[in-house]
Amino acid sequence: MALSKKSSDQELSQDEEAKLIEKISKSAQKSLEQTGEKARLKALLKKRLIDAGWDVEMTEYCQEVIRNQSLEHLDINELVQEIAPTSRGPPFAWPRAGYVMNCFAGCS
């Protein structure tokens, strides 16, 4: 659904819509930083991920990836490329995802 301009009959082009979304995003980001809410949310996310065991799971996954590669061919950039998709994957893929989702459901 396209964002509308002055009236509901005039729709934004994809380029205009992208620019508007970027402007709104930058404004929201600036507001979060100015109010200190960004730092609070980062701290909350970190705590919830630790509580859910995400850090332990990622450490174990890193160790497994390292064990499966020969030490001569171990490169930090390749390790990051291998691990990043898993670490950023959808929360429902994590074994303790229910806990994380329940934690965030109570946030407001």
Side-chain angles (χ1 to χ4, degrees), residues 46-57 94-101 103:
K46 182 177 180 179
K47 180 187 181 314
R48 297 287 168 88
L49 288 171
I50 290 169
D51 289 349
W54 178 86
D55 58 331
V56 173
E57 290 174 27
W94 304 337
R96 292 179 225 143
Y99 175 80
V100 174
M101 300 313 284
C103 290

Side-chain angles (χ1 to χ4, degrees), residues 28-46:
Q29 182 80 3
K30 184 177 179 182
S31 177
L32 287 171
E33 289 172 0
Q34 288 175 340
T35 62
E37 191 67 6
K38 182 178 179 181
R40 187 190 75 76
L41 289 171
K42 282 178 74 172
L44 177 63
L45 176 60
K46 182 177 180 179

Side-chain angles (χ1 to χ4, degrees), residues 4-11:
S4 56
K5 279 187 181 177
K6 297 174 185 170
S7 74
S8 60
D9 295 336
Q10 295 177 322
E11 290 189 4

